[in-house]
Amino acid sequence: MKAGRHRNTCSRTDSTVHDYAASSPAAASWRIALPHSAAAVPVARALVRNAFADIECCAAETDTAELLTAELVANAVEHTDGRGPIELVVELLPTGCQVEVHDAEPAPPTQLTQPAPVEPPDPWQEHGRGLLLIRALSSSCGHRPTETGKAVWFRLPAVPQQRRPA
């Protein structure tokens, strides 16, 4: 991480946040520019599904990664003005996976790193659960500024082979 930059994070496992992308070599990584439209969501899900198919991974891990990726991409499409592309970065590491969505909007998604809301989302509204899902299902998540806007990310831990369901 460059000096002067900060990284906002949430973590359910401990208070220490590691920059896995900088400290561990990626076993495999993918980067793709997505259209600034709803069509970006199924493209992103397909990329994650194909990336996880390249490694031996259980369906639950793939489903979680697909769901959280879809939430990040949908938020980027909905909450940015379309000035630049949306970029998806998927890294499969020995310690798990990290998914980042880059967009041109510098404003951070404040609900991602703030404490959980006091009131639950309105059950009659279609929106308002995506960042809650990311916080609940990822091992860590956050956002960081980039030269062209921001990156919003989450991590999922690797499930040890002996703990994977048959």
Side-chain angles (χ1 to χ4, degrees), residues 11-125:
S11 177
R12 292 186 310 129
T13 55
D14 61 31
S15 60
T16 304
V17 177
H18 304 281
D19 190 352
Y20 293 109
S23 64
S24 300
S29 64
W30 292 262
R31 181 179 292 260
I32 184 171
L34 299 169
H36 196 278
S37 70
V41 175
V43 171
R45 289 184 77 117
L47 176 71
V48 169
R49 186 172 40 256
N50 289 333
F52 274 70
D54 286 347
I55 61 171
E56 292 183 15
C57 189
C58 72
E61 290 173 295
T62 303
D63 291 346
T64 301
E66 278 189 60
L67 172 66
L68 299 186
T69 300
E71 292 297 338
L72 286 185
V73 171
N75 281 350
V77 169
E78 184 173 340
H79 298 292
T80 62
D81 63 9
R83 288 181 287 133
I86 296 168
E87 189 173 51
L88 174 65
V89 179
V90 179
E91 291 183 300
L92 300 177
L93 306 162
T95 57
C97 79
Q98 178 168 308
V99 175
E100 291 187 347
V101 174
H102 296 240
D103 63 53
E105 175 61 47
T110 56
Q111 292 180 351
L112 186 62
T113 56
Q114 291 180 346
V118 176
E119 295 181 28
D122 183 344
W124 299 105
Q125 295 296 316

